[in-house]
Amino acid sequence: MHGGVANWNSTLDATFALRTLLAPGSGIRLTGFQDTADATASGKRLGASMEAAQRTAPGRARIALAAALHAIPGWNDPATQRPVPVDHASRQANQYTALRGLVARPGFAWRAEAERRAGGTMSWNTGVDYTAMLARSATHQQVKSLYKSAGLSLRADLRALADAPRMRAEPGAVRYMVDHAAPSGRLRKPQLDVHTTGDALVPVEVESAYRRAVRSAGRAPLLRQAYTDHAGHCTFSPAEQLGALHTVEHRVGTGHWGDTSPAALNSRARAADPTTPARYAAYRPGPYPRPFS
């Protein structure tokens, strides 16, 4: 929904913050890997720094800051988290787990594979204002609270991010990502997006980036977006999937969307399958941290 350029930039923001704040001077490579083994080794080194940091209050606050820059929610595990955790400590612990997964695979090994295809580094953070990015984050207040509890200066850490040497992209690799994996927004057929609100792998804020692309292309009437009040990536119940399918069938059959409110989607979902949950809810995601157009 947000495209390859935005995705890899946003992933870099998280790993850059983790290295700068948890492993300064370590020389851990974040881009430009020699091969997958090199990337995996770098990821393991950063993961070890995260594991040690998670044992301390300052380390947990800094991990929460990195999570905020990647829009990782504090509720993201569908197996263990009902009711939704509201305390900052529990939400930070969930973000830590999600970030460890990001470092273990997408941020390093998967990036190396993408760089091989693109022919170089397709990510950059030159000119990025991390203070402004944090201010737009849905978890900004959580970060501030954790920093205060840890007796740590958020201002000083944001200054450290601002002063740290930045990463530059290779123009040819960026062009590859633009050509192959950047949404134009020029829809030709009706599209209904469904997203869980507690998605750590593909944060729900990507829907904001995609909506902007579709509107800029003048195709907004073809797009509808819906949200389920649930954690995890694509953890939709059979009822929710059927409700979405019947909504699209109605659009195709009649030429009109009709009622796509959460209540209407839940009604279709329950009618199709009364045995599994129907959790469509009114929701509007915040801005994606690093949109690209």
Side-chain angles (χ1 to χ4, degrees):
M1 308 314 299
H2 51 322
V5 178
N7 174 72
W8 291 116
N9 275 343
S10 188
T11 301
L12 176 63
D13 291 333
T15 57
F16 176 79
L18 290 169
R19 185 186 68 178
T20 301
L21 300 177
L22 304 182
S26 64
I28 295 173
R29 192 190 301 271
L30 302 180
T31 63
F33 304 109
Q34 297 176 3
D35 50 33
T36 301
D38 179 33
T40 300
S42 295
K44 286 181 177 179
R45 290 179 62 197
L46 189 57
S49 296
M50 290 179 63
E51 184 176 352
Q54 184 66 10
R55 302 189 191 106
T56 70
R60 290 189 291 272
R62 286 168 168 153
I63 289 170
L65 171 56
L69 299 179
H70 193 60
I72 293 177
W75 178 48
N76 51 60
D77 184 353
T80 61
Q81 296 172 42
R82 281 291 184 181
V84 178
V86 295
D87 63 289
H88 295 326
S90 296
R91 294 178 71 84
Q92 188 279 338
N94 296 331
Q95 291 171 322
Y96 165 71
T97 300
L99 269 178
R100 282 301 306 269
L102 181 82
V103 168
R105 291 178 295 278
F108 289 87
W110 294 4
R111 177 184 288 281
E113 193 271 347
E115 288 184 346
R116 180 183 62 79
R117 291 179 179 273
T121 300
M122 61 286 184
S123 301
W124 70 91
N125 63 353
T126 50
V128 173
D129 185 340
Y130 287 114
T131 299
M133 188 182 295
L134 176 63
R136 295 191 298 268
S137 168
T139 61
H140 183 198
Q141 293 304 318
Q142 172 193 321
V143 173
K144 289 177 64 176
S145 176
L146 289 171
Y147 265 80
K148 183 177 180 180
S149 298
L152 196 63
S153 171
L154 178 56
R155 185 189 300 270
D157 274 2
L158 289 171
R159 173 52 56 190
L161 292 179
D163 292 342
R166 298 304 180 94
M167 320 290 291
R168 295 185 179 275
E170 297 173 53
V174 176
R175 282 195 298 272
Y176 175 93
M177 280 292 159
V178 172
D179 291 342
H180 291 82
S184 68
R186 295 190 292 271
L187 294 179
R188 292 178 294 172
K189 300 177 182 179
Q191 179 172 308
L192 172 65
D193 297 348
V194 181
H195 214 121
T196 52
T197 57
D199 190 339
L201 181 63
V202 183
V204 68
E205 285 82 357
V206 305
E207 297 291 347
S208 296
Y210 191 67
R211 182 174 63 247
R212 189 177 73 168
V214 173
R215 284 179 175 174
S216 296
R219 308 295 171 88
L222 289 174
L223 178 67
R224 292 294 184 273
Q225 293 169 304
Y227 304 94
T228 62
D229 182 27
H230 197 45
H233 178 62
C234 292
T235 52
F236 310 116
S237 71
E240 290 162 351
Q241 294 178 56
L242 289 168
L245 175 62
H246 293 329
T247 298
V248 174
E249 288 176 334
H250 174 83
R251 172 63 178 79
V252 171
T254 67
H256 304 283
W257 279 108
D259 190 353
T260 58
S261 68
L265 286 163
N266 283 328
S267 178
R268 294 188 191 104
R270 295 187 185 104
D273 179 7
T275 67
T276 58
R279 298 162 295 203
Y280 286 102
Y283 186 82
R284 187 173 181 84
Y288 188 68
R290 282 259 252 145
F292 176 82
S293 60

